[in-house]
Amino acid sequence: MPITNQQVAGHSFLRQMYDDSYFPDHVVDQGRAVLLRLCERIEAEQPSDRVTLYGLTQAATEEFNLLDGEFVAAGSGIETVAREWICDEFCFVASAYGFADADAEELTVGRDW
């Protein structure tokens, strides 16, 4: 399903991670795919409130929890700076879909990175 939100469609997800050689591109690609799937789910399910949105972001957070193992296996990891960059992307997504008031911590609650 193609992304219809123009703000999201034109966004370069995880750009900072691609720009930093510490993070292998093939693993960052997987993180980008997680975020795009989240956007697709938001467009398909059209959450009407933050609680419903948080349910969708929790599923994406769990995918990032698993992805951290991929980063570690590749000699990298989701550390402090990457954690902030990823959380910023979750906030961007929430804002792009009309939830600018979403709580950053709630968007990624349950993260173990």
Side-chain angles (χ1 to χ4, degrees), residues 81-109:
V81 173
R83 183 180 314 119
E84 290 178 22
W85 290 336
I86 294 166
C87 288
D88 286 348
E89 296 292 16
F90 275 82
C91 290
F92 165 78
V93 168
S95 181
Y97 287 102
F99 296 95
D101 60 344
D103 181 87
E105 291 299 316
E106 287 295 321
L107 289 170
T108 58
V109 75

Side-chain angles (χ1 to χ4, degrees), residues 50-98:
R50 284 180 304 206
V51 172
T52 307
L53 174 70
Y54 295 152
L56 298 177
T57 62
Q58 293 319 299
T61 298
E62 289 299 322
E63 288 188 68
F64 269 101
N65 286 346
L66 297 173
L67 191 56
D68 188 37
E70 297 290 325
F71 277 107
V72 171
S76 182
I78 300 177
E79 37 63 44
T80 305
V81 173
R83 183 180 314 119
E84 290 178 22
W85 290 336
I86 294 166
C87 288
D88 286 348
E89 296 292 16
F90 275 82
C91 290
F92 165 78
V93 168
S95 181
Y97 287 102

